Structures are given as structure tokens and as C-alpha cells.
Amino acid sequence: DGFIEVLRNGVRIDSFAYPFRDLWAKRPNIPIQEGDLFELRARDSRGNRIQGIATIPQAIEIEDLKYEIIQSADTDGAIRPFLQCTIIFSDPVHIKNFYQLIITETLSNGDGNNVQQVKYFKDDPVFYIRDQEGSLMGGIDFHGSFADHLINGTTYELKVRLPEAYTKPIGDTEKRELNFMLLSHSQDYFDYLRSRVVAEYNYDLPIVDPIKIHSNVEGGLGLVGGISIASRKLVFIGNG
């Protein structure tokens, strides 16, 4: 018997009954702009109340995208070719920014499209920033997320390596699109994502200190966050 309200900049723009027959609810018609303040409220007939707020961050545009084939050492020490890509963007000064780089590949041929996420090597120093506990955790893959501690207020060239397979020519009738998405997270979502990664990293350890999953919901547990996305593509077209 729960009821959910969505407020945008203090004005209620949506309300609906709790979707008890489903795991989640999608509300596709809510307009969202950078800088909007969203508040989610939920209540039930027994007087329980929870709420959470989030501001939609500004998307930081990718100003340029470059690539080259380089020779570098793989994880086993062997020298192999890699597709090194450089994502150039300007981090705003006097603002704490929280990012995530996601790369997807769309391979098109006569049989249709195949879309998958690309696993890339995170050698750039931004991926080795301090986590929320203040310790260096370079051994954990935080899914391409990073804060602007090392690059605040600068125009930065973020370099990543794609595996050897991306250095090889594609088929004559194929087209490969590499979509580079620079996500800007609200701080709460960023802290939630990284605390989840730390917790999952420690699942298999026999003894470990408790990991607190970040939450910003008053009266309960959960996360209300915002993400904005800027993207650019590299497109490789076969000779045919």
C-alpha cells in the first residue's frame, strides 16, 4: 500500500502506487535537465516515511577524441599492439566532479548489429585516486570511475588502451562504432558505486571488516542519484 512522489525543483511532477508486482518502476516521461533538484518521497498507510534528494550534474563535454596503435607490455609481460585512445575534456575549477568512462562497441554487418561493452586497460593515473576511506586502492577495478582530485580545473588528456583485437582491420562489409561515454555522477551515486565495488571485491575474503554501502535516503536505505552523459564516437568502416 505504498505511494511514491517525485518532485522536481520543489514541484510535484509525478506520483504513483508502489509497484509491488515488479522489481522496479520506470517513469519515462519525466523531463530532466542539468542542475535540476529531484526529491523522491515514499510513504505507506502505517505512517512510514522515507525520502532522498539528488541534483543532476552538468555533463562535461568530450572536446576531442584521438587514437593510435602502440606497442606495449600486456599483463603477462609480452609486447603486443594496443589501440590507445585519448579522451580530451576540461574539468571545471572550484567544482568537485565525479566521472565514469564507459566504452561500448557496435559491430554492424549483414546479419544485424552486435552491441557490447568494451573492457579497457585503466593505466591512467586518474584511476588510482584515493577512495572514500583515504587509502590507495589501485588493485580494484572501480568500473572506470574517478574523481577530479588530480585534474581539477585542467584540460586533461585521459589515455586508455583497448585490447589487441581492436587494432586489426574489420571485414569489408562491416562497420565498428566505438562509443566513448563520459558520465558525470552526483557525489552520492559515485560514493555508492565505489562502496558497492569494495564490498563485492571482499566477498571471497574469509575475514574482512564490514563494508558500509553508501546511502542518502532518510528513514531507510537506498540511493537517489543523478547522471549526465557526454559522448563521442570512433567509426571504422570496411573497404567494401
Side-chain angles (χ1 to χ4, degrees):
D1 58 354
F3 193 78
I4 299 173
E5 294 178 297
V6 181
L7 290 84
R8 176 176 180 256
N9 299 324
V11 178
R12 189 175 74 174
I13 59 173
D14 195 11
S15 59
F16 55 99
Y18 183 79
F20 62 93
R21 288 190 176 91
D22 302 305
L23 294 176
W24 57 282
K26 183 177 181 179
R27 314 300 290 179
N29 297 320
I30 295 178
I32 301 176
Q33 301 291 332
E34 297 170 339
D36 282 346
L37 176 65
F38 276 89
E39 181 177 1
L40 269 64
R41 299 174 181 172
R43 56 183 169 82
D44 64 18
S45 61
R46 294 178 296 278
N48 296 309
R49 299 286 189 274
I50 61 173
Q51 64 179 9
I53 62 173
T55 298
I56 305 301
Q58 175 189 0
I60 305 303
E61 296 299 326
I62 298 175
E63 298 172 6
D64 201 0
L65 181 59
K66 303 177 181 179
Y67 73 95
E68 61 180 331
I69 296 176
I70 64 169
Q71 301 289 327
S72 182
D74 205 344
T75 53
D76 59 2
I79 302 299
R80 292 188 174 90
F82 293 89
L83 185 69
Q84 179 173 276
C85 299
T86 303
I87 301 96
I88 302 173
F89 63 97
S90 293
D91 179 79
V93 69
H94 305 313
I95 300 175
K96 289 184 177 180
N97 291 90
F98 304 92
Y99 300 102
Q100 184 181 12
L101 178 65
I102 294 178
I103 306 173
T104 62
E105 174 195 24
T106 302
L107 190 61
S108 305
N109 52 37
D111 298 326
N113 296 337
N114 179 33
V115 182
Q116 63 181 0
Q117 190 164 329
V118 177
K119 293 183 178 180
Y120 59 90
F121 293 87
K122 302 173 181 66
D123 305 319
D124 197 281
V126 297
F127 297 118
Y128 289 82
I129 62 170
R130 295 180 182 275
D131 72 342
Q132 51 265 53
E133 283 77 39
S135 59
L136 286 171
M137 304 189 71
I140 298 181
D141 183 355
F142 285 104
H143 303 317
S145 64
F146 60 96
D148 67 352
H149 301 311
L150 300 179
I151 63 174
N152 185 43
T154 66
T155 297
Y156 193 68
E157 297 188 359
L158 172 61
K159 298 183 184 298
V160 297
R161 290 183 299 146
L162 274 59
E164 180 180 2
Y166 293 94
T167 68
K168 299 177 180 179
I170 61 175
D172 286 346
T173 60
E174 292 181 330
K175 180 174 72 172
R176 170 182 286 151
E177 294 183 1
L178 295 177
N179 190 19
F180 294 75
M181 293 178 285
L182 186 63
L183 281 61
S184 292
H185 294 312
S186 62
Q187 183 171 358
D188 282 315
Y189 184 84
F190 180 83
D191 290 341
Y192 166 80
L193 170 65
R194 292 174 71 85
S195 63
R196 279 288 304 270
V197 170
V198 172
E200 293 167 2
Y201 179 80
N202 289 308
Y203 278 165
D204 296 330
L205 299 181
I207 300 176
V208 65
D209 291 333
I211 302 296
K212 183 178 180 180
I213 304 298
H214 182 76
S215 169
N216 69 344
V217 172
E218 296 181 12
L221 295 174
L223 192 283
V224 179
I227 302 172
S228 294
I229 303 175
S231 67
R232 290 188 74 160
K233 291 181 180 180
L234 289 176
V235 182
F236 301 89
I237 301 175
N239 293 330

